[in-house]
């Protein structure tokens, strides 16, 4: 069985930006024990490259600010690092590129995002994000299941 790592990113004090953390909590309740390790962070940082280097597959969860509110998108993460002007705010592609460059690891990676509607201060998710959370969690569950049994899954 592949070692799957889920990294949820966002700020639960900025309304819909906390959607990934809510999904992570739901995944902790729904995924079979030991099927995936789930971590929550406020942003993707260089330190995550070391954590990702120990996984066979990494799923990055995030809220999107652009797009149709409530839309769930699952995309493979490219292996090329993207430029970042901030040393403590990286893209999933940069995290996986650092894992490869620094640790010789090439975990398969996907980013699953849920487009938010409200990013104001607050802990409440918008109604459209609450309605889309089950699909967000279901998409990640399907991806974890595929990654656990198949070394090269397609996007769900």
């Amino acid at each position: 069985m592949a070692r799957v790592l889920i990294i949820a990113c966002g700020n639960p004090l900025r309304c819909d930006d906390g959607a990934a953390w809510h999904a992570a909590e739901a995944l902790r309740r729904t995924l079979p024990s030991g099927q995936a390790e789930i971590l929550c962070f406020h942003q993707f940082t260089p330190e995550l490259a070391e954590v990702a280097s120990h996984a066979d597959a990494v799923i990055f969860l995030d809220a999107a600010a652009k797009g149709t509110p409530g839309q769930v998108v699952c995309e493979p993460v490219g292996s090329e690092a993207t430029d970042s002007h901030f040393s403590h705010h990286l893209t999933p592609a940069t995290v996986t590129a650092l894992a490869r460059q620094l640790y010789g690891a090439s975990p398969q990676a996907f980013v699953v995002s849920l487009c938010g509607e409200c990013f104001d201060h607050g802990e409440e998710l918008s109604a459209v994000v609450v309605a889309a959370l089950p699909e967000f969690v279901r998409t990640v569950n399907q991806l974890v299941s595929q990654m656990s049994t198949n070394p090269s899954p397609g996007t769900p």
Side-chain angles (χ1 to χ4, degrees):
M1 179 180 285
R3 182 175 181 279
V4 178
L5 173 65
I6 297 171
I7 301 175
C9 178
N11 185 344
L13 300 176
R14 296 296 302 246
C15 295
D16 292 348
D17 196 41
W21 285 41
H22 286 269
E25 287 306 314
L27 289 162
R28 284 186 176 110
R29 292 188 303 270
T30 60
L31 285 173
S33 179
Q35 192 168 20
E37 179 181 2
I38 302 170
L39 305 173
C40 293
F41 294 95
H42 286 107
Q43 57 193 0
F44 300 125
T45 62
E47 295 80 8
L48 291 176
E50 192 273 331
V51 177
S53 73
H54 299 288
D56 297 312
V58 182
I59 302 171
F60 296 92
L61 306 183
D62 204 359
K66 295 181 181 176
T68 304
Q71 181 181 25
V72 175
V73 176
C74 179
E75 300 175 311
V77 173
S79 60
E80 297 80 33
T82 57
D83 290 335
S84 177
H85 299 295
F86 303 100
S87 63
H88 287 279
H89 184 70
L90 306 178
T91 66
T94 303
V95 172
T96 57
L98 286 171
R100 185 182 70 252
Q101 293 167 0
L102 298 174
Y103 304 101
S106 295
Q108 184 175 27
F110 286 87
V111 62
V112 181
S113 62
L114 171 55
C115 187
E117 181 175 62
C118 176
F119 293 88
D120 292 337
H121 293 281
E123 296 180 42
E124 298 294 320
L125 298 175
S126 66
V128 69
V129 167
V130 169
L133 268 175
E135 179 187 353
F136 192 31
V137 171
R138 186 172 39 257
T139 299
V140 177
N141 268 316
Q142 291 171 349
L143 192 54
V144 168
S145 178
Q146 290 175 7
M147 292 177 128
S148 294
T149 58
N150 180 3
S152 299
T155 55

